Every structure is written in C-alpha cells, then in structure tokens.
Amino acid sequence: MKVLVPVKRVVDYNVKVRVKSDGSGVDIANVKMSMNPFDEIALEEATRLKEAGKVTEVVAVSVGVAQCQETLRTGMAIGADRGILVETSVETEPLAVAKIMKALADKEQPQLIILGKQAIDDDSNQTGQMLAALLGWPQATFASKVVLEDGKVTVTREVDGGLETVALSLPAIVTTDLRLNEPRYVTLPNIMKAKKKPLETIKPEDLGVDVSPRLKTLKVTEPAKRSAGVKVPDVATLVQKLRTEAKVI
C-alpha cells in the first residue's frame, strides 16, 4: 500500500512573524523555515503505519520553491521513501495544491493520503477537503487516532461534543490533528540516509495544473496591541466598568 503525504515549507513556529513595511505580506527574508507541524504529524503517522507493516511505501510531496527540497529531505529523514517536489515560484493557494495532489494521486495511485489539517502560515484548513472532493474519496478530518486494517481506515476524530469514530473504505483522505502523535526527533544517521533517497522535481505544467492565484492580498497588518488591564476594588466597580466603559453588559 502506498501513502502520499503533502508537506509544506513554512516559517518556523518559534519565529515571531514580521509584516513587511509596505503591508504587502509577511517578511520571510533570512527567517528560519521548517516543515509545517501538522504535516510533520501526518508524516510521522504514515511512517508508523509503514513500521507496523500496514504500508509499503511513503511518498512525501511538496509544492513551492526550490528550497522545499530541504523540507522533503527532512521528511525522508523522518521515514518517507522518496520525495516529489512540484516546483513553482507562485504562492499557491489551497485549491491549486489540491489540484496538484489530485494529478499526483492519479499518477501514483496511492491508497491513502494523509496531510495536516492546516498550515500554520495561512490557517486555511481547506486542502484536504478540496482534495477529497476532487478525487471523490471519503475523508476524515482532525484525526486523533488512525487504525488501518481489513481494507479500511478507522479514524477517531475530534468534534465539538467529544470524539467521533468513522470507518472509511480505501482509497481515502485523512487530515491530522495535534493529538494524533508526537513526531520523532530526526537523527543524524537518518539525515545522511535521506540524502541518498530519490527526489523527483516536476513543474505544475507537467501535471496540467494552472496555479495562477485566484485571490489578491490587499493589505497585511499586525494585530492591535492589547491595552493594559486595570484592577478594581470590588465586584460593584467591575460591573459598573463593564457596563459603562467596556459596554459588554
């Protein structure tokens, strides 16, 4: 069984994001980049399924600039068998990524696609759902547990009221949540082995996909700074301030 795992190169979650002076976007010059944490969880889960003998091949896929090769090498150090880079300088939107993944799914014929529920840069939470719609495959989002057996995948997912368990026939789409697993630490020997694993580079045009943006960013601004809090001597004063100053009651 083959599993595809899309991974995205994003600004590292430890980095404080800065907005460009002209408000056109986020400044990523000389900023540490890394794999999207949700995608890292997805890759870890695919690797664990392979180690358990449920999966025979894990293929990591990334869409973006040439530097995404570093992200794919990290993915192969975690456990992916090979990588595919769909190289483009265009900032791809969720629909474009979903179309690229559909084209790759048609080509690679995986039985399962596992991806992070969202990327920490745009927080769209759309790619998995769009991909499932394009392929016509069943989907389970926000997975906190994945069990693969008897030609189906059983997913425990987080919902507002608690947990929901669904069983999907293969092929299927699964998007991962934070509680699914704890990604492993990438060791130096595995990093060295990853350098020898195959990495294929193609263009969106080779897949017949148009990645031209459909959205235009008008302006990016930092969130307003929080004002300082005040202490009140008693409940009556608190209620009075909430009514007259905050006007929330």
Side-chain angles (χ1 to χ4, degrees), residues 19-230:
V19 175
K20 292 180 180 177
S21 57
D22 60 359
S24 62
V26 172
D27 186 7
I28 60 172
N30 302 315
V31 171
K32 181 184 178 183
M33 308 292 282
S34 61
M35 185 186 301
N36 177 45
F38 290 100
D39 297 338
E40 194 173 359
I41 291 169
L43 193 53
E44 172 68 25
E45 190 65 20
T47 302
R48 291 187 184 187
L49 290 172
K50 181 187 171 188
E51 291 171 346
K54 306 289 186 180
V55 170
T56 55
E57 185 181 25
V58 177
V59 183
V61 181
S62 191
V63 181
V65 295
Q67 289 88 334
C68 289
Q69 291 185 30
E70 301 169 10
T71 307
L72 286 171
R73 291 295 179 193
T74 301
M76 288 186 278
I78 292 173
D81 297 290
R82 57 189 175 93
I84 301 174
L85 171 60
V86 183
E87 188 176 350
T88 175
S89 59
V90 177
E91 188 173 342
T92 50
E93 296 167 359
L95 181 58
V97 176
K99 288 180 177 180
I100 287 172
M101 288 306 303
K102 179 190 182 299
L104 286 174
D106 292 339
K107 177 183 176 184
E108 295 285 339
Q109 294 294 308
Q111 289 295 99
L112 187 63
I113 299 178
I114 307 179
L115 62 160
K117 69 172 185 176
Q118 66 195 69
I120 62 171
D121 51 1
D122 57 16
D123 278 331
S124 292
N125 183 17
Q126 295 174 335
T127 305
Q129 293 88 328
M130 289 177 170
L131 178 57
L134 291 172
L135 287 169
W137 291 6
Q139 61 174 312
T141 55
F142 317 137
S144 59
K145 183 179 179 182
V146 176
V147 178
L148 187 61
E149 60 185 1
D150 300 329
K152 66 180 181 181
V153 57
T154 304
V155 176
T156 302
R157 57 189 301 270
E158 299 187 6
V159 295
D160 291 340
L163 298 176
E164 177 184 59
T165 301
V166 295
L168 311 177
S169 57
L170 298 176
I173 308 283
V174 175
T175 71
T176 62
D177 212 337
L178 285 173
R179 293 166 189 80
L180 179 58
N181 61 50
E182 182 73 29
R184 70 193 63 192
Y185 178 76
V186 180
T187 61
L188 182 58
N190 285 336
I191 292 174
M192 300 307 293
K193 290 177 184 176
K195 292 182 179 181
K196 298 179 180 179
K197 292 183 179 180
L199 197 161
E200 178 186 2
T201 301
I202 56 178
K203 300 287 187 181
E205 304 82 55
D206 300 333
L207 300 171
V209 178
D210 179 14
V211 295
S212 301
R214 295 166 176 260
L215 305 175
K216 181 180 179 182
T217 301
L218 301 179
K219 189 177 183 182
V220 177
T221 58
E222 291 190 13
K225 289 182 171 59
R226 291 183 61 180
S227 57
V230 295

